[in-house]
């Protein structure tokens, strides 16, 4: 049965966490969907892992729609959620509706994710939800604020932890169907998970969350550097380099192609 935002919203305190992975094109989406993940995120990290930008800020809405369309063509089971890129939702609620609306109209995605927990963002989540657009929240380390936060762990002081907990509660009350907790201490993520009526999805937030998310380029060992919380399950760079060099050798030694 295909996963919907409602399926996910009800996935709370289950014995087994659900899994979300990122995808940025059709082949990757097919692989992770057929492997059995519950959610596929067209994450704006694609700016870095697929397009080579230094951070997620340059990505445009048109680029995101182009990648989302490709991802959706490869997915049969998983719920597809798309990150709204930097400055495609922060300017006004009207801008957020326009951007989220284009994602849902121009791809088959069923939800959008937006970063932050300020009163403005909470109001935007409430408005999008009221007009029928499922929204996933994202607090803790929010990479679109890299020039303010860097990529450091968030919520280390008592005051910061309290602020993140309050943001999480406000986002849930605004109607978000799930919430990403990025790079915060495990006890804080456990406390938020306990208190929220909606599922939490951790990345660098410990094992108590209702779901876990990873950037697929990190899982596959394709990234040049790994965040401290990520784990590569295959050395993709080395494995693909070896295959490429074997091909180069075969051509140079006339072992490839075969003479049919
Ligand atoms: N491939 C990839 N994986 C990710 O998880 C990811 C992205 N890209 N792009 C957007 C953000 C950036 N992320 C990152 C990147 C680096 C650190 C990291 O190295 N943190 C160090 C300190 C860095 C600092 O002080 O500036 C740490 O010890 O927390 C953490 C999260 C997570 N997100
Ligand atoms: C890491 C996840 C949560 C994300 O926002 C992304 O990949 O862009
Ligand atoms: Mg993102």
């Amino acid at each position: 049965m295909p996963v919907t935002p409602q399926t996910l919203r009800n996935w709370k305190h289950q014995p087994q966490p659900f899994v979300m992975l990122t995808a940025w094109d059709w082949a990757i989406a097919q692989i992770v969907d057929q492997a059995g993940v519950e959610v596929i995120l067209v994450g704006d990290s694609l700016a870095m892992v697929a397009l080579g930008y230094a951070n997620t800020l340059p990505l445009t809405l048109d680029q995101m729609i182009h990648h989302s369309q490709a991802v959706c063509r490869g997915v049969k089971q998983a719920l597809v959620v798309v990150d709204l890129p930097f400055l495609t939702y922060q300017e006004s609620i009207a801008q957020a509706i326009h951007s989220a609306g284009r994602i849902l109209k121009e791809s088959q995605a069923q939800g959008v994710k937006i970063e932050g927990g300020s009163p403005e963002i909470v109001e935007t989540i409430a408005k999008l939800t009221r007009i029928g657009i499922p929204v996933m929240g994202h607090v803790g380390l929010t990479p679109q604020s890299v020039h303010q936060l860097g990529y450091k762990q968030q919520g280390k002081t008592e005051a910061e932890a309290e602020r993140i907990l309050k943001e999480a509660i406000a986002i849930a009350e605004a109607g978000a169907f799930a919430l990403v907790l990025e790079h915060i201490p495990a006890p804080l993520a456990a406390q938020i998970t306990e208190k929220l009526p909606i599922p939490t999805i951790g990345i660098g937030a410990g094992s108590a969350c209702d779901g876990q998310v990873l950037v697929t380029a990190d899982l596959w060992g394709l990234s040049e550097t790994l965040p401290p919380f990520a784990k590569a399950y295959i050395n993709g760079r080395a494995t693909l380099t070896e295959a490429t060099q074997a091909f180069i050798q075969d051509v140079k030694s006339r072992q490839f192609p075969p003479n049919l």
Side-chain angles (χ1 to χ4, degrees):
M1 274 245 299
V3 183
T4 68
Q6 280 311 317
T7 320
L8 213 68
R9 174 187 277 282
N10 296 327
W11 201 304
K12 195 61 205 172
H13 302 308
Q14 295 296 310
Q16 293 200 328
F18 61 84
V19 177
M20 177 160 92
L21 282 173
T22 70
W24 50 90
D25 69 18
W26 170 83
I28 289 167
Q30 272 197 325
I31 291 167
V32 298
D33 185 52
Q34 287 171 25
V37 303
E38 282 84 11
V39 192
I40 292 176
L41 175 70
V42 188
D44 59 353
S45 57
L46 78 81
M48 301 167 75
V49 302
L51 302 180
Y53 289 115
N55 54 49
T56 59
L57 307 194
L59 192 70
T60 68
L61 186 61
D62 285 332
Q63 288 173 319
M64 202 49 161
I65 289 170
H66 185 245
H67 284 275
S68 300
Q69 289 169 335
V71 165
C72 289
R73 286 193 282 265
V75 177
K76 292 202 178 112
Q77 287 297 321
L79 168 67
V80 178
V81 177
V82 177
D83 265 348
L84 288 188
F86 179 60
L87 288 193
T88 68
Y89 61 94
Q90 293 97 335
E91 204 174 287
S92 66
I93 289 179
Q95 188 199 30
I97 294 172
H98 177 83
S99 300
R102 276 197 64 196
I103 298 272
L104 266 61
K105 285 168 86 85
E106 297 178 38
S107 79
Q108 311 303 310
Q110 288 169 276
V112 298
K113 178 162 76 59
I114 71 181
E115 293 186 7
S118 68
E120 292 82 2
I121 292 294
V122 170
E123 201 35 60
T124 300
I125 293 172
K127 178 68 183 186
L128 289 174
T129 302
R130 281 201 299 274
I131 63 174
I133 299 178
V135 180
M136 180 180 284
H138 182 162
V139 296
L141 173 57
T142 47
Q144 291 178 14
S145 305
V146 60
H147 298 313
Q148 270 180 343
L149 305 178
Y151 290 140
K152 297 187 306 284
Q153 192 186 50
Q154 301 295 302
K156 284 207 255 201
T157 67
E158 194 55 49
E160 250 187 44
E162 184 67 25
R163 179 181 50 78
I164 293 170
L165 172 62
K166 286 195 169 129
E167 289 174 351
I169 292 168
I171 287 166
E173 284 173 351
F177 69 90
L179 177 63
V180 168
L181 303 176
E182 179 163 355
H183 208 9
I184 62 173
L188 174 59
Q191 188 195 4
I192 294 172
T193 301
E194 191 56 45
K195 289 213 165 143
L196 283 204
I198 58 170
T200 60
I201 312 173
I203 173 163
S207 62
C209 298
D210 300 295
Q212 292 291 330
V213 55
L214 213 54
V215 173
T216 298
D218 297 341
L219 167 69
W220 287 350
L222 300 177
S223 306
E224 272 185 316
T225 60
L226 274 189
F229 48 74
K231 179 176 168 188
Y233 282 75
I234 177 181
N235 190 338
R237 280 193 175 240
T239 305
L240 294 172
T241 301
E242 281 163 27
T244 306
Q245 289 175 337
F247 175 69
I248 292 170
Q249 271 317 110
D250 280 0
V251 170
K252 297 206 180 280
S253 63
R254 300 192 192 280
Q255 300 279 112
F256 184 93
N259 291 305
L260 303 174

